Amino acid sequence: PIINKIKEMISHSSEDFRIYGSPSDLLRMYNSGVFDWIESAPTNLKMVVSPLNKTSEFPSKLDLGKIRVIPSNAENKCFIVNDAKEVLIFMRNANHPSREVFAWWSDSETLVDMMSTLFELSWEKGEKSY
């Protein structure tokens, strides 16, 4: 259901699709075909990865210019903001001990604005990935 919701969000995206997550989250999305859907959509992708170290597995086919890394211990945080209109927040992401992912969607203006601001601040603070 979560991947289907992401696919639906991508199909409605026309401006920006922003992902904040750990390398494990991005790898799971990559293996689910999320980035293939984004590539065929008329949207601008940006990603913030935290933390990323030399031992992290990372899809090499992704455009590194669209990725920023923040060196923090935020591996349990993951969210997606679509066109500053909707957000998908993972309450349990790929790093959760049970490996069961749980997320909730909202189009609340206040929540979307707050998560968009968090993403933008993280993007500005982040470093280019490689």
Side-chain angles (χ1 to χ4, degrees), residues 1-125:
I2 294 171
I3 295 299
N4 287 338
K5 184 62 182 176
I6 294 171
K7 187 175 185 178
E8 179 185 318
M9 290 171 71
I10 293 167
S11 71
H12 293 104
S13 184
S14 60
E15 296 172 20
D16 296 310
F17 200 80
R18 299 170 181 184
I19 302 171
Y20 180 110
S22 71
S24 299
D25 295 314
L26 297 181
L27 192 57
R28 182 174 273 185
M29 288 181 207
Y30 180 82
N31 290 332
S32 298
V34 168
F35 296 107
D36 293 333
W37 301 325
I38 293 171
E39 198 172 289
S40 63
T43 191
N44 181 32
L45 173 66
K46 285 185 177 179
M47 292 179 280
V48 173
V49 183
S50 177
L52 184 66
N53 55 42
K54 293 179 181 180
T55 61
S56 297
E57 291 184 50
F58 200 71
S60 60
K61 293 182 180 181
L62 297 178
D63 181 354
L64 299 178
K66 298 178 179 187
I67 302 169
R68 297 276 174 99
V69 177
I70 54 173
S72 69
N73 193 12
E75 67 183 26
N76 62 342
K77 293 175 183 62
C78 182
F79 62 89
I80 297 171
V81 180
N82 180 30
D83 289 343
K85 293 180 184 172
E86 61 183 339
V87 65
L88 185 67
I89 300 173
F90 290 76
M91 304 308 288
R92 284 190 240 156
N93 65 348
N95 294 317
H96 192 269
S98 72
R99 307 297 280 173
E100 291 181 28
V101 178
F102 175 75
W104 55 277
W105 173 90
S106 177
D107 62 354
S108 160
E109 235 179 271
T110 303
L111 184 58
V112 171
D113 184 52
M114 187 171 60
M115 299 310 285
S116 294
T117 301
L118 174 60
F119 184 91
E120 286 305 316
L121 290 171
S122 299
W123 179 263
E124 289 172 15
K125 181 182 175 185

